[in-house]
Amino acid sequence: VHGYGRLWKLSINLDEAKSWVGDLKLKEPTPELLQAEQLRNGEGTKERDELFQLAESEDPYLASAAIGAMAPLTASWEITDFPNWPESERITAVLAMRQVKDLGGRWIPTLLKDSSSEVKFEVLRWIADDVMVDFLPQVEELLNQADLEFSLFEAAMAARNTLRGTPEVGVRDIEMLLSKVTDPNASPRLRTFALRLLPDLTRSKPKSPPEKHLDVEVLRSLLAIGDEALSMEAVRSLGSNPSLGRELLVGVAADENTLPALRAEAIAGLATVADSEEGLLVSLAAHADPEVRGEALRSLRSIKLKDESILALEQVAEKYPDAITPVLAVFDSSTLAADRPPLTDSEAWLARLDAVEEPVDLENGRRIFFHKKVGLCANCHRFEGRGNAVGPDLTRISLRGEGGAFLESILEPNREIAPEYLPRLITLKNGEAHTGIRLRSSINEVIRD
């Protein structure tokens, strides 16, 4: 109703209410509501083109009613004509087909070969929701398509696990993903997607007997392939545990023949071990490429610098005017707030954002989001498969069109928290403390950290 998510609690003082309660009569039904009721009662139009047009209405009730009224028409549709329909109509048609019993067997094999990823996405949802196990081979075949988009790869993984009787696995079947990552015959694109969904680089020695897991040698072999996207994903995985992947991260960061974006990613991965790599990071802070230079300066924040390092960074600030602010932040991170509005003034921050010149550096923002030392956002949130699911997945947050509310959540993360995401602290009898999101609370407390 209010446009800001769920209504968590409503309190009304009835004495005060007398001064502001208005007309309690229900509003007159809108034309869209009346038309939706007619469609649901079988009294509305039966014309194909008009139903497709109504199905794209901004009014969700009318759109849903139009799709329902379209279901009886599916018996007259020809599979051979379907590829010639506009994409929006094909997506809507799948939603209508889902409402007709036993229609999937005839249509789904063709729909899974549709040129539209959105069509295939809706078909995968149909297959998974109705647990159509007969289509497991086709879903697994889809997972081998070299040109798959990530959202479709993720959806196919979820559908596959549902059809195999393990829906709780979601998009992660570690053994299957690892086999895809290490398969030399799989396309680099699919190996990149599988690597993105694997858990972080293992933090401990393999158990006996050894379990299949992601390790440094696997990532070393992926870097050797030389594919840009796959190398980027491998460096991100190494950055999840730099104590294990440090050697490879250093190699990528120091390689002058490597793309600046990949070097910057490796530098960000070294941020939590910056005190051990001070010499390298200080030298990279003087690099001519602004992407490499900026990430090195960011990674040097909050560590105790040697005198020669301080002198070298002062020279960087003299040579590169754009480095003055990040150099000062290395010496004292509180200087970043010097000319900035208070975190409670979201309007002022929106004005600052509007003033940023195009093109904006989205990759820089993405590195901050996943940064283990600065942003820390990915400790709780996922974006396009990477990160953690303690808080809401932010992959599609831009579609909500609530930039102001989202900005408030960044500036003041504890200002408004939905009840299901409130952190809980559990202290054990031995003194250990664990913080996480409550999943269940009865005889046992179950939290997810």
Side-chain angles (χ1 to χ4, degrees):
V1 174
H2 49 57
Y4 293 98
R6 299 178 186 175
L7 189 64
W8 304 329
K9 184 179 179 181
L10 181 64
S11 299
I12 298 177
N13 183 316
L14 293 178
D15 292 330
E16 294 179 0
K18 295 175 183 177
S19 64
W20 54 260
V21 170
D23 188 359
L24 298 181
K25 291 182 180 178
L26 292 175
K27 291 183 179 179
E28 291 295 321
T30 63
E32 289 81 8
L33 177 59
L34 294 174
Q35 194 171 12
E37 287 183 351
Q38 289 179 336
L39 289 171
R40 293 188 190 282
N41 294 332
E43 302 167 358
T45 180
K46 300 293 190 299
E47 295 297 322
R48 174 199 180 281
D49 291 345
E50 188 176 355
L51 286 174
F52 272 109
Q53 185 176 355
L54 293 174
E56 295 185 19
S57 169
E58 293 184 1
D59 185 291
Y61 298 102
L62 179 55
S64 175
I67 292 171
M70 196 184 298
L73 303 182
T74 58
S76 63
W77 294 345
E78 294 293 337
I79 293 178
T80 53
D81 295 337
F82 192 77
N84 300 320
W85 293 9
E87 182 185 37
S88 61
E89 289 190 1
R90 302 203 307 276
I91 296 169
T92 301
V94 173
L95 300 179
M97 290 179 195
R98 290 192 55 170
Q99 302 187 37
V100 181
K101 189 177 180 181
D102 300 329
L103 194 62
R106 184 166 71 92
W107 276 89
I108 286 178
T110 298
L111 296 175
L112 282 175
K113 298 177 181 177
D114 195 274
S115 60
S116 166
S117 293
E118 290 293 330
V119 170
K120 286 186 278 198
F121 185 93
E122 291 300 338
V123 175
L124 286 170
R125 177 153 38 195
W126 183 7
I127 292 171
D129 286 350
D130 290 2
V131 196
M132 301 181 185
V133 292
D134 291 344
F135 290 108
L136 178 58
Q138 286 92 330
V139 172
E140 293 185 328
E141 182 182 345
L142 187 66
L143 281 166
N144 292 321
Q145 288 186 8
D147 60 346
L148 215 58
E149 295 179 11
F150 177 70
S151 60
L152 204 55
F153 181 85
E154 203 173 29
M157 278 294 303
R160 170 191 178 274
N161 292 333
T162 296
L163 299 182
R164 288 168 60 91
T166 55
E168 70 281 355
V169 173
V171 297
R172 283 182 169 173
D173 179 332
I174 295 177
E175 187 170 346
M176 186 271 186
L177 290 170
L178 192 58
S179 68
K180 184 76 71 178
V181 166
T182 55
D183 181 3
N185 296 317
S187 70
R189 184 184 183 88
L190 291 182
R191 297 174 81 175
T192 299
F193 294 163
L195 179 57
R196 187 181 302 175
L197 292 178
L198 275 171
D200 285 350
L201 190 62
T202 181
R203 299 180 184 279
S204 59
K205 295 180 181 179
K207 295 179 181 179
S208 182
E211 293 180 340
K212 292 185 177 181
H213 62 280
L214 184 64
D215 60 31
V216 172
E217 293 311 309
V218 170
L219 295 171
R220 188 190 304 276
S221 68
L222 297 180
L223 284 171
I225 294 171
D227 180 83
E228 184 178 338
L230 183 55
S231 294
M232 184 67 79
E233 210 62 57
V235 168
R236 290 169 185 166
S237 293
L238 288 164
S240 70
N241 192 353
S243 60
L244 288 177
R246 181 170 152 189
E247 173 205 345
L248 287 177
L249 289 171
V250 167
V252 174
D255 189 352
E256 290 292 338
N257 296 317
T258 297
L259 291 171
L262 190 58
R263 298 181 71 184
E265 195 71 42
I267 293 167
L270 290 169
T272 55
V273 292
D275 50 351
S276 302
E277 297 297 337
E278 180 181 338
L280 171 64
L281 293 173
V282 169
S283 68
L284 292 173
H287 200 277
D289 186 277
E291 198 167 12
V292 173
R293 182 171 66 247
E295 203 56 59
L297 288 169
R298 183 179 290 144
S299 295
L300 284 167
R301 289 183 198 170
S302 305
I303 71 168
K304 185 173 177 58
L305 293 169
K306 299 174 183 175
D307 291 342
E308 57 265 32
S309 296
I310 295 173
L311 178 61
L313 292 180
E314 289 173 345
Q315 293 172 348
V316 169
E318 291 176 6
K319 185 175 182 180
Y320 300 105
D322 67 329
I324 295 174
T325 298
V327 166
L328 290 175
V330 172
F331 300 149
D332 180 4
S333 60
S334 66
T335 59
L336 288 171
D339 64 338
R340 298 183 178 183
L343 299 180
T344 53
D345 190 351
S346 55
E347 290 298 324
W349 281 91
L350 281 172
R352 285 176 66 93
L353 287 175
D354 291 340
V356 174
E357 295 181 3
E358 298 282 351
V360 294
D361 190 348
L362 294 178
E363 277 303 295
N364 188 45
R366 190 200 51 72
R367 284 196 299 273
I368 291 174
F369 182 91
F370 290 102
H371 209 285
K372 296 287 187 181
K373 190 175 178 181
V374 179
L376 306 179
C377 313
N379 284 0
C380 293
H381 301 282
R382 294 176 84 239
F383 184 81
E384 293 186 343
R386 274 208 173 274
N388 290 310
V390 178
D393 190 316
L394 301 179
T395 302
R396 302 173 72 84
I397 190 70
S398 63
L399 301 181
R400 290 171 54 181
E402 297 175 6
F406 188 44
L407 178 63
E408 283 184 0
S409 295
I410 295 173
L411 299 173
E412 301 178 86
N414 295 323
R415 180 171 172 174
E416 287 189 26
I417 303 177
E420 65 266 36
Y421 293 117
L422 280 173
R424 311 285 179 172
L425 175 65
I426 293 181
T427 304
L428 305 184
K429 291 181 179 178
N430 64 6
E432 289 182 11
H434 299 270
T435 303
I437 305 303
R438 175 180 282 164
L439 296 182
R440 290 193 299 280
S441 178
S442 53
I443 297 174
N444 298 314
E445 288 287 323
V446 181
I447 63 170
R448 178 175 61 196
D449 65 11

